């Protein structure tokens, strides 16, 4: 700790002035950068969805049953992703308050678990579909190139969900330090992803009833 002796004209006792510790400054900077930068993938994916919402066709692997519905779905996704990109920056002040921080950590938990679970379930399904083991029902499409659809989802769409989930997870973990709270957050989120993935695959293979995956 740095200290400075300060004396008045009448010579009072020295006063200790503490300077911020270097490690604390770096940790705070890391937290700010993580939170401010976590929305970057959302901006990219929002632009991708907006392209199709505006009538783009490059990269399409089939013909949707309703072109109007296709445009609306992509427009809604683009708006939601744009909002998601702003949230980490807009909520920066809330991390300084106890209740705000708890609420944001819960939000990060839900988004992280949802995105990673979505990615793992769909990646497994696409691999099984490519291998000819699983037939996926795709009622939204009037005609579709299944192999191209599987590859695009496996190599592009689902990796985005995985990265998005991991970034939201890091957003929360950075603020939890290295103690029990951090371990509890990681264990609970990992367990939730594993359980939900199992249920999702049991549903996809027809072992149980319908299990909704985002």
């Amino acid at each position: 700790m740095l200290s400075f002796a300060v004396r008045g004209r009448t010579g009072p006792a020295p006063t200790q002035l503490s300077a911020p510790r270097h490690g604390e400054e770096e940790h705070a900077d890391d937290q700010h950068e993580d939170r401010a930068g976590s929305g970057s993938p959302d901006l990219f994916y929002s632009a991708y969805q907006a392209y199709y919402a505006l009538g783009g066709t490059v990269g399409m692997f089939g013909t949707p049953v309703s072109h109007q519905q296709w445009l609306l779905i992509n427009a809604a996704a683009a708006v939601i992703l744009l909002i998601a990109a702003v949230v980490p920056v807009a909520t920066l002040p809330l991390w300084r308050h106890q209740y705000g921080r708890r609420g944001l950590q819960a939000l990060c938990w839900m988004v992280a678990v949802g995105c990673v679970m979505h990615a793992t379930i769909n990646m497994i399904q696409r691999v099984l579909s490519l291998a000819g083991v699983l037939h996926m029902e795709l009622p939204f499409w009037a005609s579709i190139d299944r192999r191209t659809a599987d590859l695009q989802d496996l190599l592009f769409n689902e990796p985005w969900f995985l990265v998005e989930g991991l970034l939201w997870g890091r957003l929360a973990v950075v603020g939890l330090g290295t103690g029990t709270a951090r371990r509890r957050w990681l264990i609970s989120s990992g367990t939730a992803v594993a359980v939900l993935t199992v249920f999702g695959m049991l549903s996809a293979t027809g072992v149980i009833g319908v299990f909704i995956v985002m």
Side-chain angles (χ1 to χ4, degrees), residues 105 173 175-189:
Q105 286 168 350
V173 169
L176 289 171
T178 58
T180 303
R182 186 177 199 176
R183 289 194 297 272
R184 186 185 300 119
W185 195 98
L186 291 170
I187 291 171
S188 64
S189 59

Side-chain angles (χ1 to χ4, degrees), residues 6-50:
V6 180
R7 294 182 180 273
R9 292 181 180 178
T10 58
T15 302
Q16 298 292 327
L17 299 180
S18 299
R21 286 181 292 182
H22 183 63
E24 291 179 350
E25 290 180 340
E26 288 184 345
H27 184 60
D29 289 342
D30 289 343
Q31 289 181 339
H32 188 279
E33 290 175 3
D34 285 336
R35 290 162 187 159
S38 61
S40 300
D42 294 308
L43 290 174
F44 168 74
Y45 210 65
S46 177
Y48 167 72
Q49 298 285 355

Side-chain angles (χ1 to χ4, degrees), residues 45 48-49 51-52 57-62 70 74 122-123 126 130 141 144-161:
Y45 210 65
Y48 167 72
Q49 298 285 355
Y51 168 76
Y52 289 115
T57 58
V58 175
M60 287 185 66
F61 43 73
W70 166 258
N74 281 281
N122 282 281
M123 281 180 167
R126 294 298 182 173
L130 285 167
W141 297 94
I144 186 171
D145 182 335
R146 287 185 174 273
R147 178 175 174 79
T148 301
D150 288 341
L151 288 173
Q152 180 171 320
D153 198 47
L154 181 62
L155 300 177
F156 180 71
N157 297 330
E158 300 312 326
W160 177 86
F161 275 100

Side-chain angles (χ1 to χ4, degrees), residues 38 41-42 107-119 157-173 185-186 189 193 214:
S38 61
D42 294 308
L107 174 64
C108 289
W109 190 95
M110 290 187 290
V111 176
V113 169
C115 286
V116 174
M117 175 268 295
H118 185 291
N157 297 330
E158 300 312 326
W160 177 86
F161 275 100
L162 182 60
V163 170
E164 181 74 356
L166 294 176
L167 285 176
W168 277 88
R170 177 172 171 75
L171 194 64
V173 169
W185 195 98
L186 291 170
S189 59
V193 168
M214 294 184 299

